[in-house]
Amino acid sequence: MGNDNRFELRMTGSGGQGLILGSIILAEAAIMEGKIVTQSQVYGAEARGGTTKAELVISNKHIAYPKVTDPDMLAAMTNDGLKQYGGGITRKTEVIIDSSVMSAPDFLDEENCRSLLALPIRSTLISRLHSELGLNIVLLGIVEGLTAIVGVETLRKAIAMHVKKQFLDLNMKALDLGMEMVEAQAKTGIRI
């Protein structure tokens, strides 16, 4: 968490990717560890396929304003999501994009964000786990791998609370996959 004990995360993408559920799971894990959390979401009227946004503020102390105003991290899973909800990025924001469905936009560089991490999230999920389910959990693994905002075992418990039993094994593998992607990226050191 930042110096003010406040971590702000915005996730955006397309309805049906599970980003809102992912934000709820991460919020639950943070609460289980005694942190104070606010979670909010926006989704288009068409829901599945429409642009969605999920936001979390996690803190060790009272949260005076519940919305993300100065994101520490922005995770964009679609170009439309980035266009619609990418505002407010500052030089402290770490931006994550899914390079399997989008390319790094021209407006993101070292002048207006801390770093840009382009990972092939969707394509790696499909090739490694042979499923399109679990994209949101892969993203949680990436967030966890980059921030260690909650304990991994706490995150696993929160996932188990919110995922149907028949999909639990897949989602645990998806979490591990996200963390592995961060480890692999750290070894190559490729960041814009």
Side-chain angles (χ1 to χ4, degrees):
M1 274 190 256
N3 293 340
D4 60 359
N5 291 317
R6 181 180 170 109
F7 176 79
E8 297 186 5
L9 169 66
R10 178 179 297 143
M11 298 185 288
T12 183
S14 178
Q17 290 181 320
L19 298 179
I20 292 171
L21 176 59
S23 71
I24 291 168
I25 289 169
L26 184 54
E28 186 78 39
I31 290 167
M32 290 166 59
E33 292 190 351
K35 294 178 172 84
I36 298 167
V37 181
T38 62
Q39 185 275 339
S40 61
Q41 69 241 358
V42 174
Y43 48 91
E46 60 278 358
R48 186 165 293 278
T51 304
T52 63
K53 172 180 77 166
E55 294 186 335
L56 281 175
V57 177
I58 301 173
S59 181
N60 289 325
K61 59 184 183 177
H62 175 74
I63 298 173
Y65 185 71
K67 300 283 187 176
V68 168
T69 58
D70 189 13
D72 295 284
M73 186 172 285
L74 168 70
M77 299 297 103
T78 63
N79 283 316
D80 287 344
L82 183 59
K83 285 178 193 167
Q84 192 165 348
Y85 298 116
I89 296 170
T90 68
R91 293 185 72 175
K92 82 171 203 172
T93 308
E94 180 155 24
V95 179
I96 303 161
I97 64 168
D98 185 350
S99 64
S100 57
V101 296
M102 59 193 294
S103 57
D106 294 336
F107 67 87
L108 288 177
D109 59 33
E110 63 276 352
E111 293 300 312
N112 60 12
C113 70
R114 188 175 86 215
S115 64
L116 173 62
L117 181 57
L119 294 171
I121 300 169
R122 183 176 183 274
S123 61
T124 303
L125 172 66
I126 292 169
S127 68
R128 293 274 302 276
L129 300 183
H130 312 290
S131 175
E132 291 190 45
L133 296 174
L135 180 75
N136 57 340
I137 307 301
V138 174
L139 181 56
L140 288 184
I142 292 167
V143 170
E144 176 64 20
L146 291 169
T147 65
I149 194 73
V150 295
V152 175
E153 290 312 309
T154 306
L155 192 51
R156 288 187 194 286
K157 288 176 188 171
I159 291 168
M161 292 169 59
H162 291 277
V163 171
K164 292 181 181 177
K165 285 191 189 336
Q166 67 262 35
F167 300 116
L168 189 56
D169 185 56
L170 172 70
N171 280 279
M172 293 304 174
K173 289 177 181 173
L175 180 68
D176 291 338
L177 179 59
M179 291 185 292
E180 287 171 23
M181 291 177 77
V182 170
E183 286 176 25
Q185 178 280 326
K187 287 178 185 168
T188 63
I190 299 171
R191 269 192 193 186
I192 294 172

